Each structure stands twice: as C-alpha cells, then as structure tokens.
Short mmCIF file of all heavy atoms in Angstrom, two decimals:
data_model
loop_
_atom_site.label_atom_id
_atom_site.label_comp_id
_atom_site.label_asym_id
_atom_site.label_seq_id
_atom_site.Cartn_x
_atom_site.Cartn_y
_atom_site.Cartn_z
N GLY A 1 -3.67 4.99 5.50
CA GLY A 1 -3.91 3.65 5.19
C GLY A 1 -5.46 3.50 5.15
O GLY A 1 -6.16 4.19 5.97
N TYR A 2 -5.92 2.77 4.22
CA TYR A 2 -7.41 2.54 4.13
C TYR A 2 -7.70 1.09 3.84
O TYR A 2 -6.90 0.48 3.11
CB TYR A 2 -8.05 3.53 3.20
CG TYR A 2 -7.26 4.01 2.01
CD1 TYR A 2 -7.38 3.33 0.77
CD2 TYR A 2 -6.34 4.95 2.12
CE1 TYR A 2 -6.65 3.70 -0.25
CE2 TYR A 2 -5.53 5.39 0.97
CZ TYR A 2 -5.70 4.68 -0.27
OH TYR A 2 -4.96 5.06 -1.35
N MET A 3 -8.83 0.64 4.16
CA MET A 3 -9.12 -0.78 4.06
C MET A 3 -10.61 -1.04 3.82
O MET A 3 -11.47 -0.43 4.41
CB MET A 3 -8.67 -1.53 5.34
CG MET A 3 -8.69 -3.02 5.09
SD MET A 3 -7.72 -3.95 6.30
CE MET A 3 -8.83 -3.88 7.73
N SER A 4 -10.90 -1.96 2.98
CA SER A 4 -12.30 -2.46 2.75
C SER A 4 -12.20 -3.94 2.43
O SER A 4 -11.08 -4.43 2.14
CB SER A 4 -12.97 -1.62 1.64
OG SER A 4 -12.31 -1.82 0.38
N GLN A 5 -13.32 -4.62 2.32
CA GLN A 5 -13.31 -5.95 1.95
C GLN A 5 -14.05 -6.18 0.62
O GLN A 5 -15.16 -5.62 0.41
CB GLN A 5 -14.03 -6.83 2.97
CG GLN A 5 -13.82 -8.37 2.72
CD GLN A 5 -14.22 -9.18 3.93
OE1 GLN A 5 -14.97 -8.73 4.84
NE2 GLN A 5 -13.77 -10.41 3.97
N SER A 6 -13.35 -6.81 -0.31
CA SER A 6 -13.90 -6.94 -1.63
C SER A 6 -15.00 -8.05 -1.67
O SER A 6 -15.25 -8.77 -0.73
CB SER A 6 -12.86 -7.28 -2.65
OG SER A 6 -12.42 -8.68 -2.55
N ASP A 7 -15.65 -8.15 -2.86
CA ASP A 7 -16.72 -9.20 -2.90
C ASP A 7 -16.10 -10.58 -2.92
O ASP A 7 -16.82 -11.56 -2.66
CB ASP A 7 -17.48 -8.94 -4.24
CG ASP A 7 -16.55 -8.98 -5.49
OD1 ASP A 7 -15.78 -7.97 -5.68
OD2 ASP A 7 -16.54 -9.93 -6.32
N LYS A 8 -14.83 -10.68 -3.21
CA LYS A 8 -14.17 -12.01 -3.20
C LYS A 8 -13.75 -12.37 -1.78
O LYS A 8 -13.14 -13.48 -1.59
CB LYS A 8 -13.06 -12.09 -4.18
CG LYS A 8 -13.52 -11.99 -5.62
CD LYS A 8 -12.39 -12.25 -6.65
CE LYS A 8 -11.47 -11.08 -6.69
NZ LYS A 8 -12.06 -9.89 -7.38
N GLY A 9 -13.80 -11.42 -0.80
CA GLY A 9 -13.36 -11.59 0.58
C GLY A 9 -12.02 -11.12 0.81
O GLY A 9 -11.50 -11.15 1.98
N GLU A 10 -11.25 -10.60 -0.19
CA GLU A 10 -10.03 -10.06 0.12
C GLU A 10 -9.97 -8.72 0.80
O GLU A 10 -10.95 -7.97 0.63
CB GLU A 10 -9.16 -9.84 -1.23
CG GLU A 10 -9.08 -11.08 -2.05
CD GLU A 10 -8.67 -10.83 -3.51
OE1 GLU A 10 -8.97 -9.70 -4.00
OE2 GLU A 10 -7.92 -11.65 -4.14
N MET A 11 -9.02 -8.52 1.75
CA MET A 11 -8.95 -7.16 2.41
C MET A 11 -8.15 -6.31 1.45
O MET A 11 -6.98 -6.61 1.18
CB MET A 11 -8.31 -7.32 3.78
CG MET A 11 -9.02 -8.31 4.72
SD MET A 11 -10.76 -8.04 4.93
CE MET A 11 -10.78 -6.50 5.86
N VAL A 12 -8.76 -5.25 0.97
CA VAL A 12 -8.15 -4.34 -0.04
C VAL A 12 -7.50 -3.16 0.77
O VAL A 12 -8.28 -2.51 1.45
CB VAL A 12 -9.08 -3.79 -1.03
CG1 VAL A 12 -8.42 -2.99 -2.09
CG2 VAL A 12 -9.82 -5.03 -1.74
N ILE A 13 -6.24 -2.97 0.68
CA ILE A 13 -5.58 -2.03 1.53
C ILE A 13 -4.85 -1.04 0.58
O ILE A 13 -4.18 -1.44 -0.30
CB ILE A 13 -4.57 -2.70 2.44
CG1 ILE A 13 -5.27 -3.60 3.50
CG2 ILE A 13 -3.76 -1.67 3.24
CD1 ILE A 13 -4.40 -4.48 4.24
N GLY A 14 -5.05 0.19 0.86
CA GLY A 14 -4.35 1.29 0.15
C GLY A 14 -3.35 2.04 1.07
O GLY A 14 -3.57 2.22 2.29
N GLY A 15 -2.22 2.44 0.48
CA GLY A 15 -1.26 3.21 1.22
C GLY A 15 -1.04 4.60 0.68
O GLY A 15 -1.90 5.09 -0.04
N GLY A 16 0.11 5.18 1.00
CA GLY A 16 0.34 6.52 0.49
C GLY A 16 1.17 6.47 -0.80
O GLY A 16 1.41 5.43 -1.35
N THR A 17 1.53 7.72 -1.26
CA THR A 17 2.28 7.80 -2.45
C THR A 17 3.77 7.85 -2.10
O THR A 17 4.15 8.19 -0.96
CB THR A 17 1.97 9.14 -3.26
OG1 THR A 17 2.13 10.23 -2.29
CG2 THR A 17 0.55 9.05 -3.79
N ASP A 18 4.60 7.53 -3.09
CA ASP A 18 6.06 7.60 -2.93
C ASP A 18 6.38 9.05 -2.70
O ASP A 18 5.81 9.96 -3.28
CB ASP A 18 6.78 7.01 -4.11
CG ASP A 18 6.76 5.49 -4.17
OD1 ASP A 18 6.44 4.90 -3.11
OD2 ASP A 18 7.21 4.98 -5.20
N GLY A 19 7.51 9.28 -1.96
CA GLY A 19 7.95 10.69 -1.74
C GLY A 19 8.79 11.17 -2.87
O GLY A 19 9.48 12.25 -2.69
N PHE A 20 8.88 10.47 -3.96
CA PHE A 20 9.75 10.93 -5.12
C PHE A 20 9.05 10.60 -6.39
O PHE A 20 8.20 9.73 -6.47
CB PHE A 20 11.15 10.15 -4.98
CG PHE A 20 10.92 8.70 -4.98
CD1 PHE A 20 11.00 7.92 -6.13
CD2 PHE A 20 10.81 8.03 -3.70
CE1 PHE A 20 10.89 6.57 -6.05
CE2 PHE A 20 10.67 6.72 -3.66
CZ PHE A 20 10.74 5.94 -4.86
N ASN A 21 9.37 11.34 -7.45
CA ASN A 21 8.71 11.22 -8.74
C ASN A 21 9.20 9.89 -9.42
O ASN A 21 10.49 9.69 -9.46
CB ASN A 21 9.06 12.40 -9.69
CG ASN A 21 8.48 13.67 -9.09
OD1 ASN A 21 9.23 14.68 -9.05
ND2 ASN A 21 7.32 13.70 -8.57
N ASN A 22 8.27 9.07 -9.91
CA ASN A 22 8.76 7.88 -10.63
C ASN A 22 7.58 7.39 -11.43
O ASN A 22 6.43 7.75 -11.25
CB ASN A 22 9.21 6.77 -9.62
CG ASN A 22 8.12 6.37 -8.71
OD1 ASN A 22 7.38 5.44 -8.95
ND2 ASN A 22 7.99 6.98 -7.54
N TYR A 23 7.86 6.41 -12.27
CA TYR A 23 6.88 5.80 -13.12
C TYR A 23 6.81 4.24 -12.96
O TYR A 23 6.44 3.52 -13.82
CB TYR A 23 7.24 6.08 -14.61
CG TYR A 23 7.01 7.55 -15.02
CD1 TYR A 23 8.08 8.41 -14.99
CD2 TYR A 23 5.73 8.00 -15.40
CE1 TYR A 23 7.89 9.68 -15.25
CE2 TYR A 23 5.48 9.29 -15.73
CZ TYR A 23 6.59 10.16 -15.60
OH TYR A 23 6.33 11.49 -15.95
N THR A 24 7.10 3.80 -11.67
CA THR A 24 7.04 2.41 -11.42
C THR A 24 5.68 2.04 -11.05
O THR A 24 4.93 2.76 -10.40
CB THR A 24 8.02 2.01 -10.31
OG1 THR A 24 7.55 2.71 -9.13
CG2 THR A 24 9.44 2.37 -10.61
N GLN A 25 5.24 0.78 -11.50
CA GLN A 25 3.90 0.34 -11.19
C GLN A 25 3.98 -0.81 -10.16
O GLN A 25 3.33 -1.83 -10.24
CB GLN A 25 3.19 -0.06 -12.40
CG GLN A 25 2.70 1.08 -13.30
CD GLN A 25 1.91 0.68 -14.53
OE1 GLN A 25 2.29 -0.31 -15.19
NE2 GLN A 25 0.84 1.26 -14.69
N ARG A 26 4.87 -0.60 -9.19
CA ARG A 26 5.02 -1.60 -8.09
C ARG A 26 5.06 -0.93 -6.82
O ARG A 26 5.32 0.25 -6.69
CB ARG A 26 6.28 -2.46 -8.30
CG ARG A 26 7.61 -1.57 -8.25
CD ARG A 26 8.87 -2.39 -8.39
NE ARG A 26 10.05 -1.63 -8.21
CZ ARG A 26 10.69 -1.04 -9.21
NH1 ARG A 26 10.26 -1.11 -10.50
NH2 ARG A 26 11.72 -0.33 -9.05
N GLY A 27 4.75 -1.69 -5.68
CA GLY A 27 4.76 -1.09 -4.40
C GLY A 27 6.13 -0.85 -3.85
O GLY A 27 7.08 -1.54 -4.10
N SER A 28 6.25 0.18 -2.98
CA SER A 28 7.45 0.50 -2.30
C SER A 28 7.35 -0.09 -0.92
O SER A 28 6.51 0.16 -0.17
CB SER A 28 7.67 2.01 -2.20
OG SER A 28 7.93 2.51 -3.42
N PHE A 29 8.43 -0.97 -0.61
CA PHE A 29 8.22 -1.78 0.60
C PHE A 29 8.04 -1.03 1.90
O PHE A 29 7.34 -1.39 2.81
CB PHE A 29 9.41 -2.77 0.78
CG PHE A 29 9.24 -3.72 1.86
CD1 PHE A 29 8.36 -4.76 1.72
CD2 PHE A 29 9.90 -3.64 2.97
CE1 PHE A 29 8.16 -5.73 2.75
CE2 PHE A 29 9.76 -4.49 4.08
CZ PHE A 29 8.91 -5.57 3.94
N HIS A 30 8.87 0.09 1.98
CA HIS A 30 8.77 0.87 3.30
C HIS A 30 7.42 1.46 3.49
O HIS A 30 6.97 1.53 4.65
CB HIS A 30 9.88 1.89 3.34
CG HIS A 30 9.69 2.96 2.24
ND1 HIS A 30 10.00 2.89 1.01
CD2 HIS A 30 9.29 4.28 2.45
CE1 HIS A 30 9.76 3.98 0.31
NE2 HIS A 30 9.35 4.84 1.17
N HIS A 31 6.75 1.87 2.41
CA HIS A 31 5.36 2.42 2.51
C HIS A 31 4.48 1.33 3.04
O HIS A 31 3.66 1.48 3.88
CB HIS A 31 4.89 2.90 1.18
CG HIS A 31 5.10 4.36 0.96
ND1 HIS A 31 4.61 5.29 1.83
CD2 HIS A 31 5.79 5.03 -0.01
CE1 HIS A 31 5.00 6.55 1.39
NE2 HIS A 31 5.63 6.38 0.23
N ILE A 32 4.57 0.20 2.41
CA ILE A 32 3.65 -0.94 2.74
C ILE A 32 3.90 -1.38 4.20
O ILE A 32 2.93 -1.64 4.97
CB ILE A 32 3.91 -2.08 1.77
CG1 ILE A 32 3.46 -1.70 0.36
CG2 ILE A 32 3.21 -3.42 2.24
CD1 ILE A 32 3.98 -2.62 -0.70
N GLU A 33 5.12 -1.42 4.58
CA GLU A 33 5.44 -1.87 5.93
C GLU A 33 4.86 -0.97 7.00
O GLU A 33 4.20 -1.34 7.97
CB GLU A 33 6.94 -1.99 6.15
CG GLU A 33 7.37 -2.55 7.49
CD GLU A 33 8.86 -2.73 7.64
OE1 GLU A 33 9.56 -2.00 6.98
OE2 GLU A 33 9.32 -3.56 8.38
N GLU A 34 4.98 0.39 6.79
CA GLU A 34 4.48 1.34 7.79
C GLU A 34 2.97 1.41 7.76
O GLU A 34 2.34 1.39 8.76
CB GLU A 34 5.00 2.76 7.38
CG GLU A 34 4.51 3.86 8.38
CD GLU A 34 4.74 3.60 9.79
OE1 GLU A 34 5.74 2.89 10.18
OE2 GLU A 34 3.87 3.94 10.63
N THR A 35 2.28 1.26 6.60
CA THR A 35 0.87 1.25 6.48
C THR A 35 0.36 0.06 7.24
O THR A 35 -0.64 0.20 8.03
CB THR A 35 0.41 1.22 5.02
OG1 THR A 35 0.89 2.46 4.37
CG2 THR A 35 -1.12 1.21 4.94
N LEU A 36 0.93 -1.19 6.98
CA LEU A 36 0.48 -2.34 7.63
C LEU A 36 0.77 -2.28 9.10
O LEU A 36 -0.12 -2.78 9.92
CB LEU A 36 1.07 -3.56 7.00
CG LEU A 36 0.57 -3.92 5.65
CD1 LEU A 36 1.23 -5.17 5.10
CD2 LEU A 36 -0.93 -4.18 5.58
N ARG A 37 1.88 -1.73 9.52
CA ARG A 37 2.15 -1.65 10.98
C ARG A 37 1.06 -0.91 11.75
O ARG A 37 0.64 -1.29 12.79
CB ARG A 37 3.47 -0.97 11.16
CG ARG A 37 4.06 -1.24 12.59
CD ARG A 37 5.39 -0.41 12.71
NE ARG A 37 6.36 -0.81 11.75
CZ ARG A 37 7.26 -0.07 11.13
NH1 ARG A 37 7.17 1.26 11.20
NH2 ARG A 37 8.09 -0.55 10.27
N ALA A 38 0.60 0.23 11.12
CA ALA A 38 -0.43 0.98 11.71
C ALA A 38 -1.76 0.27 11.59
O ALA A 38 -2.58 0.44 12.54
CB ALA A 38 -0.47 2.43 11.01
N LEU A 39 -2.09 -0.28 10.56
CA LEU A 39 -3.39 -0.96 10.38
C LEU A 39 -3.49 -2.17 11.31
O LEU A 39 -4.62 -2.49 11.83
CB LEU A 39 -3.62 -1.40 8.96
CG LEU A 39 -3.85 -0.17 8.05
CD1 LEU A 39 -4.06 -0.78 6.56
CD2 LEU A 39 -5.19 0.54 8.40
N VAL A 40 -2.39 -2.81 11.55
CA VAL A 40 -2.42 -4.01 12.52
C VAL A 40 -2.85 -3.49 13.90
O VAL A 40 -3.48 -4.28 14.61
CB VAL A 40 -1.11 -4.73 12.50
CG1 VAL A 40 -0.95 -5.63 13.82
CG2 VAL A 40 -1.00 -5.50 11.20
#
C-alpha cells in the first residue's frame, strides 16, 4: 500500500495487483479492503 496527498488535498492510495489475469479497469474490493486495513 502506498499513499501521498495530491495538490487538491485528496489522499491518493495505491494497492496491489489482482492475483489473476484480467482486463478490467475497476478495483477489486478484497485488495482495497486489505490495503486500507493495513494503512489505517
């Protein structure tokens, strides 16, 4: 998980990659949940 603050004040958070091949341009909830749990 990685975090910075943008010029607009938003906290920009990055997570990991999905564990499977895909072409979706949306977030996977379990990744987001675990990343945020650790960052909190």
Side-chain angles (χ1 to χ4, degrees):
Y2 33 95
M3 189 164 79
S4 64
Q5 190 166 18
S6 76
D7 57 288
K8 295 189 285 290
E10 300 165 330
M11 304 307 291
V12 183
I13 297 170
T17 54
D18 282 349
F20 53 92
N21 301 134
N22 66 87
Y23 289 95
T24 61
Q25 289 184 312
R26 61 178 184 270
S28 293
F29 185 75
H30 65 285
H31 266 301
I32 292 163
E33 186 178 26
E34 178 54 33
T35 298
L36 288 180
R37 194 185 299 138
L39 287 177
V40 163

